[in-house]
Amino acid sequence: MHTVRADVDKNRIYITVGKIKDEAEMQAFVDKAKSECEKLADGFTCLTDLRSYEYQDEIFEKYIKEIQEAFLARSMSKVVRVHRWSGLLGHMQFDYVSLDLGYSGKNVTSIEEAERILDGEEG
């Protein structure tokens, strides 16, 4: 299960990623993320919910990178990732790809904490 939606008022993209069954589903997810990103102004923030995400085959990392590159091209200002707990292999896929692109996201364990950080209330 995965969802992507843009909140124009907050200038934020919300992404929820679960298990992706194949490359066709992953490509559809990438396309949706890119189109939702276009609704936002440069400098938008990103909340990525990875609580249901499981490690994907390494072939999927190119798709993760494609989304992250598109967001960086639009000057994404901040990203917070919500995990079940730190250190899970699947979650680290997102961290490794973003570090390869030269940025890092903050990792937290609740949506509420992620919202506070992205709203500038902490962290």
Side-chain angles (χ1 to χ4, degrees):
M1 203 271 320
H2 53 276
T3 60
V4 182
R5 73 175 174 84
D7 182 326
V8 177
D9 294 331
K10 285 191 168 196
N11 201 35
R12 182 168 301 150
I13 195 160
Y14 290 88
I15 299 173
T16 302
V17 188
K19 181 73 174 164
I20 306 284
K21 65 180 176 188
D22 57 30
E23 284 192 77
E25 183 178 3
M26 188 64 171
Q27 186 61 59
F29 175 62
V30 169
D31 294 343
K32 177 70 172 175
K34 287 178 170 181
S35 69
E36 287 295 298
C37 172
E38 291 300 318
K39 297 176 182 178
L40 301 170
D42 285 355
F44 66 93
T45 59
C46 176
L47 191 157
T48 305
D49 182 351
L50 298 170
R51 292 174 297 172
S52 297
Y53 183 75
E54 298 295 335
Y55 178 79
Q56 303 287 309
D57 188 282
E58 288 181 12
I59 196 165
F60 289 101
E61 289 179 12
K62 70 180 181 181
Y63 296 101
I64 296 168
K65 184 175 184 178
E66 186 177 342
I67 292 171
Q68 291 179 349
E69 286 174 328
F71 288 5
L72 287 174
R74 294 289 316 283
S75 303
M76 178 179 64
S77 63
K78 194 184 292 187
V79 62
V80 177
R81 297 184 184 109
V82 182
H83 302 287
R84 287 187 304 272
W85 58 84
S86 330
L88 291 178
L89 185 59
H91 302 156
M92 291 167 35
Q93 275 186 301
F94 280 78
D95 292 338
Y96 292 146
V97 173
S98 63
L99 288 172
D100 188 47
L101 293 173
Y103 80 97
S104 63
K106 180 146 177 95
N107 295 308
V108 299
T109 56
S110 77
I111 296 291
E112 297 78 17
E113 183 179 5
E115 290 279 4
R116 284 192 302 272
I117 291 167
L118 293 172
D119 289 342
E121 297 172 14
E122 66 178 72

